[in-house]
Amino acid sequence: YSGVLAVFLAAGISGSEMLKPGISLLSLLAVALALPLAGGPAKIIGVIFLAAGTLAMWSQDVPAQNYVMAFGEMLYILVLMAVMPLLAIPIRVGQYDRIFQHWFSAGMKSAFQAYRMLTMIAYFLGSFLNLATLPITYYSVKSSVNRLISGDVSRFLTVGVVNGFSLPIIWTPLAATVGIVLDMTGLSWL
C-alpha cells in the first residue's frame, strides 16, 4: 500500500504518464494481498464490489489492459486518506486546540452540550475545509472531551465529528464528489 502511494505521488509530482501502468499494477497487487487479510464484512463487501466491477467491465467488452488500468484511477482518494493525519500537525504546533478547550470549558456541563458543540464545530469547519475537518476537529477537541466525558470518548468523538461533517457534504461545492466528477470528465470548475 505504501509503495502504491509513493509511486502515485511521484507520478503526480513528476507529471509522468509512464508511471500510470505501474500504479495500476501495484494497486491491483495491493488489492490482491489485502483482500485475504480483510475481516468479515470488509472482505464480503470488497469481494462484492470487485465482482460487480469485473462483471460490469466484462459485459461492456472492456480490454484486459483497461481493466487493470482501472485499479489506479481512484488512487488519489486513498492518497488523500493517507495524508489526512498530517493535517493535524498545524493544530498541535499552533496550539489551536486551546481555543477549543476554552469553548468546551466555558459552560459545558453535560455530554449533550459537548456533543452539540462538537457537531457544530465539525459542521462549521466542514463547510469550507471538507475532509480536513475530520482530523482538525478530532485532535482539537479530544483533550477537552476527555475531561467532560466519562464513557467511551472515541465513540463520542467519532459520532459527533461524523454527524457534523456529513451535513455540509449535502450542499458544499467543496465536496470530494465534485472533484472526482471534474477529474473524470476532464472539465474545469469554471
Side-chain angles (χ1 to χ4, degrees):
Y1 181 70
S2 299
V4 176
L5 297 179
V7 173
F8 181 80
L9 289 173
I13 291 169
S14 70
S16 174
E17 292 290 319
M18 293 173 40
L19 293 175
K20 282 191 174 184
I23 292 169
S24 295
L25 286 171
L26 284 173
S27 297
L28 180 60
L29 179 64
V31 169
L33 293 175
L35 197 57
L37 300 175
K43 183 184 277 187
I44 292 168
I45 292 169
V47 167
I48 289 171
F49 277 111
L50 193 57
T54 301
L55 183 61
M57 294 187 93
W58 179 74
S59 69
Q60 297 297 313
D61 294 324
V62 173
Q65 178 184 350
N66 291 4
Y67 176 76
V68 172
M69 292 299 288
F71 278 88
E73 290 294 320
M74 301 292 277
L75 198 57
Y76 53 88
I77 293 175
L78 296 177
V79 171
L80 182 64
M81 296 302 167
V83 299
M84 223 23 113
L86 298 177
L87 296 173
I89 293 172
I91 297 298
R92 292 182 184 149
V93 171
Q95 298 179 343
Y96 295 110
D97 56 334
R98 290 184 181 179
I99 295 168
F100 293 109
Q101 287 175 7
H102 175 72
W103 287 355
F104 270 83
S105 63
M108 292 289 153
K109 294 179 175 53
S110 70
F112 175 75
Q113 289 175 328
Y115 176 80
R116 185 175 57 200
M117 178 63 77
L118 174 61
T119 303
M120 287 179 3
I121 290 169
Y123 176 77
F124 174 72
L125 292 175
S127 298
F128 58 91
L129 294 177
N130 203 320
L131 289 174
T133 299
L134 300 171
I136 289 172
T137 305
Y138 181 84
Y139 290 112
S140 296
V141 301
K142 185 178 179 185
S143 60
S144 300
V145 171
N146 277 334
R147 286 191 289 269
L148 286 170
I149 306 300
S150 59
D152 189 356
V153 174
S154 293
R155 183 178 181 88
F156 182 86
L157 284 168
T158 301
V159 172
V161 170
V162 167
N163 286 340
F165 168 74
S166 61
L167 291 173
I169 295 284
I170 297 168
W171 62 268
T172 183
L174 299 174
T177 53
V178 174
I180 292 169
V181 170
L182 291 175
D183 183 60
M184 291 176 68
T185 59
L187 297 175
S188 169
W189 178 252
L190 303 173

